[in-house]
Each structure stands twice: as C-alpha cells, then as structure tokens.
Amino acid sequence: MRSNYLLILLSITMAIVISGCSCQQPIVYNGSENTSGNQTSSPGANNEEEFITGMASVNNVQVLILESFPVQVNVEATGYLPDGCTTIANVTTTKDGNTFYVEIGTIRPRDALCTQALVPFTKSVPLDVYGLEKGVYNVDVNGKTASFELSVDNILSDKS
C-alpha cells in the first residue's frame, strides 16, 4: 500500500516538473534594433517568431576613467529589464560634439510566458576617447547623463 502511494506521489511530482519545462528552440534575432524608445515587433528567422524590441531602463550611469595613458574611459550603466525573457540586444555608441550617446537596446520573444519580475543588469561600455582634446565631455545612456573631464589631450606625442 505504501509503495503505491509513493508511486502515485512520484508520478504527480514528475508531471508537475515536466509541465513546467519550456522546450523552445533557441531564438536567433536577425532584425534591426529600434532606437526610438518604443517597443516594436520584427520578424525573426524564417518569420516563425516575432520579437519585441525596446530600450533598457537605466537607473544610474557612472563614468570610470582607467589609470593609463592614453586614457581609457568606460561607462557603467545599471538598471533593470522588465521581465525574465527580456535581454540586452545590442549597444550602440555615437558622439556628437562633446557628448557621447549610448543606447542599450532590448529584445524579447513576443508570445513568451515570462516571469513578471524586474531583472537587474549592469552593462559596461568602453568609449572611444583616443585623440580627444582636454575638456569636459558628457555621456547620455538611454536618457541618464554623466560627465567626465580630460585634463590633457588624450593622444600619444611623437617625441622620441
């Protein structure tokens, strides 16, 4: 009698575990990133799946100046992703005058069942600062800003 009870309990447990498994194929994104801040859908490989793209929510931006010459600068962005299925899709960096614009994009499968909990992230992004003149520079990461100052021109001299 006890062995039948254990067998039934084991069967029920296995059924629960198996029903919780998601046996989806890996997702390959081959579309372009939307940088407008709105989430849009774009077709995936073979038009079999669709994705929602957007911008990561950034809470804090910190500029790290590495002790080297020429100076190297990294931007560390922290924030959160809206659910357990959303991931960082790509990071783009552009420069306009004395301002660096960093965009951290996200992607998630449109019809996926996801945990509805915020997922924290930290992303470190190197900035191309070689050759910059001394001065104050601004960094904008998805709307959060910070600044840094170069006290000397960031270029190696040709003096031998």
Side-chain angles (χ1 to χ4, degrees):
M1 178 76 164
R2 182 174 171 101
S3 64
N4 287 341
Y5 175 73
L6 288 176
L7 184 57
I8 292 171
L9 183 61
L10 181 61
S11 297
I12 292 172
T13 304
M14 290 301 293
I16 291 171
V17 169
I18 291 172
S19 69
C21 291
S22 174
C23 300
Q24 294 178 333
Q25 296 278 335
I27 298 169
V28 177
Y29 176 69
N30 66 355
S32 61
E33 180 62 33
N34 169 30
T35 57
S36 67
N38 299 325
Q39 292 191 340
T40 61
S41 63
S42 39
N46 301 326
N47 292 330
E48 291 177 350
E49 296 196 13
E50 291 190 1
F51 301 90
I52 299 172
T53 59
M55 302 303 287
S57 179
V58 176
N59 293 339
N60 188 39
V61 174
Q62 183 177 11
V63 178
L64 306 171
I65 299 176
L66 306 180
E67 294 183 22
S68 63
F69 195 81
V71 170
Q72 297 174 48
V73 177
N74 288 335
V75 176
E76 187 174 272
T78 57
Y80 63 88
L81 302 173
D83 56 52
C85 294
T86 301
T87 60
I88 302 293
N90 65 352
V91 177
T92 59
T93 304
T94 57
K95 182 178 173 295
D96 184 17
N98 281 6
T99 302
F100 289 90
Y101 295 94
V102 180
E103 293 182 343
I104 302 175
T106 62
I107 187 169
R108 76 179 292 277
R110 173 175 290 287
D111 296 327
L113 298 176
C114 308
T115 59
Q116 296 300 306
L118 298 178
V119 178
F121 75 88
T122 299
K123 186 72 176 170
S124 183
V125 180
L127 297 179
D128 183 12
V129 296
Y130 182 75
L132 293 181
E133 296 178 353
K134 67 179 180 177
V136 176
Y137 294 87
N138 300 308
V139 181
D140 181 314
V141 182
N142 290 12
K144 289 291 183 182
T145 59
S147 63
F148 66 95
E149 182 174 2
L150 295 177
S151 57
V152 296
D153 293 344
N154 196 32
I155 190 163
L156 293 174
S157 66
D158 291 336
K159 296 179 183 177
S160 299

